[in-house]
């Protein structure tokens, strides 16, 4: 195995599993409930402020911490940890096969999420792929300042934790256009995942746009085991 390998960063939510699982819908509802309860807002104003913070900061929690001084770990318990993931997410053999087919002598696989670490670990465990990644960079809700994608410092944090120093060795797939755009501006090689059920952006946000993670095989064949090697593994 090479001493220094490129790193392929994978977003987690709505990337390793499809949006049709509606995890984001469940989370949005819990966030709105949190706004209603802790900020004494009606449902409409809670939704409006939630969306404002999400668009401004990338995470609703950043707006809550910045403007309302809420306890971020209490928020995590009320939102991320309260998601009924065990009834939504299950092992995904096709995802596991894709990851297993990536040649670890040529590339390091790393998770990169705006969620708190507990949520990220929970998702990959339920999908049955937790052993396919060498590490995870997450949003530390208790940190000040609170860092999340697409802030440049969050990408620097991911590089530092994954042990990669050159942006040319950073590859990334994410379903959020803002994150992809910023990563490419920073010099990363990026694939924007836009599911087949979703409309494509009016203007493509980065060089590579894919409809399914399987397309990574075509975009980045250098990171996958050759067909000959795959037959050897199967036999």
């Amino acid at each position: 195995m090479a001493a220094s390998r490129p790193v392929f960063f994978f977003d987690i939510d709505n990337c390793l599993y499809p949006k049709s699982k509606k995890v984001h819908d469940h989370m949005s509802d819990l966030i709105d409930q949190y706004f209603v309860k802790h900020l004494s807002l009606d449902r409409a104003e809670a939704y409006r402020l939630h969306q404002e913070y999400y668009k401004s900061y990338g995470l609703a929690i950043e707006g809550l911490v910045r403007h309302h001084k809420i306890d971020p770990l209490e928020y995590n318990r009320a939102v991320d940890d309260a998601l009924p993931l065990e009834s939504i997410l299950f092992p995904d053999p096709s995802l596991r096969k894709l990851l297993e087919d990536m040649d670890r002598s040529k590339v390091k696989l790393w998770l990169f999420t705006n969620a708190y670490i507990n949520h990220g670990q929970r998702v990959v465990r339920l999908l049955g792929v937790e052993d396919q990644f060498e590490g995870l960079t997450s949003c530390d809700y208790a940190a000040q300042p609170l860092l999340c994608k697409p802030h440049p410092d969050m990408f620097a944090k991911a590089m530092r934790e994954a042990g990669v120093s050159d942006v040319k060795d950073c590859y990334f797939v994410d379903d959020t256009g803002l994150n992809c755009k910023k990563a490419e501006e920073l010099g990363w090689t990026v694939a924007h995942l836009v599911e087949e059920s979703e409309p494509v952006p009016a203007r493509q946000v980065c060089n590579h746009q894919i409809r399914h993670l399987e397309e990574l095989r075509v975009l980045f064949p250098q990171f996958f085991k050759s067909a000959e090697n795959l037959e050897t593994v199967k036999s």
Side-chain angles (χ1 to χ4, degrees):
M1 186 177 293
S4 178
R5 293 166 289 157
V7 178
F8 210 116
F9 294 92
F10 284 79
D11 178 43
I12 297 179
D13 290 301
N14 291 335
C15 188
L16 295 185
Y17 61 81
K19 289 185 178 180
S20 59
K21 294 291 185 181
K22 298 190 181 300
V23 172
H24 184 266
D25 293 352
H26 285 282
M27 183 176 288
S28 292
D29 186 55
L30 288 170
I31 293 172
D32 287 347
Q33 290 178 35
Y34 188 92
F35 274 70
V36 168
K37 179 180 179 181
H38 291 271
L39 304 185
S40 301
L41 303 175
D42 62 34
R43 191 75 182 202
E45 179 60 14
Y47 175 80
R48 186 200 67 76
L49 194 60
H50 167 195
Q51 296 304 312
E52 178 183 318
Y53 287 166
Y54 180 79
K55 291 172 184 174
S56 298
Y57 305 119
L59 280 180
I61 187 176
E62 182 168 356
L64 286 167
V65 170
R66 183 178 297 206
H67 300 294
H68 307 282
K69 310 302 181 189
I70 60 102
D71 179 346
L73 297 184
E74 179 192 14
Y75 170 93
N76 177 69
R77 288 189 292 272
V79 177
D80 293 37
D81 288 352
L83 288 166
L85 295 181
E86 284 74 11
S87 63
I88 300 173
L89 300 178
F90 302 95
D92 184 341
S94 62
L95 173 63
R96 184 173 181 86
K97 180 68 167 59
L98 174 75
L99 298 171
E100 286 179 336
D101 286 350
M102 298 187 78
D103 189 340
R104 307 314 163 76
S105 69
K106 297 177 180 176
V107 66
K108 177 189 292 188
L109 305 191
W110 199 270
L111 295 161
F112 186 21
T113 178
N114 271 352
Y116 192 56
I117 188 170
N118 294 3
H119 175 79
Q121 291 174 335
R122 190 177 168 207
V123 169
V124 293
R125 175 177 56 80
L126 290 171
L127 292 173
V129 296
E130 71 271 34
D131 61 327
Q132 295 299 302
F133 298 91
E134 295 186 38
L136 184 159
T137 293
S138 61
C139 181
D140 183 356
Y141 286 0
Q144 291 295 330
L146 186 67
L147 279 182
C148 63
K149 298 176 286 186
H151 196 288
D153 288 348
M154 186 63 170
F155 290 94
K157 175 186 176 185
M159 291 179 66
R160 184 170 62 253
E161 293 182 352
V164 59
S165 57
D166 192 336
V167 293
K168 294 185 179 64
D169 289 329
C170 296
Y171 295 77
F172 181 46
V173 60
D174 197 309
D175 67 292
T176 301
L178 285 174
N179 298 341
C180 293
K181 184 174 185 292
K182 178 55 67 176
E184 191 165 86
E185 288 173 358
L186 294 171
W188 290 27
T189 301
V190 184
H192 181 206
L193 176 62
V194 183
E195 288 185 26
E196 291 178 354
S197 60
E198 297 291 314
V200 297
R203 186 172 184 176
Q204 193 164 310
V205 300
C206 57
N207 283 338
H208 302 301
Q209 181 175 285
I210 61 176
R211 288 298 212 175
H212 196 282
L213 290 179
E214 285 291 332
E215 294 175 54
L216 297 177
R217 296 179 186 273
V218 178
L219 279 180
F220 308 110
Q222 70 272 28
F223 295 142
F224 286 84
K225 300 167 186 174
S226 67
E228 180 181 346
N229 288 340
L230 285 176
E231 290 302 318
T232 302
V233 170
K234 291 176 184 176
S235 60

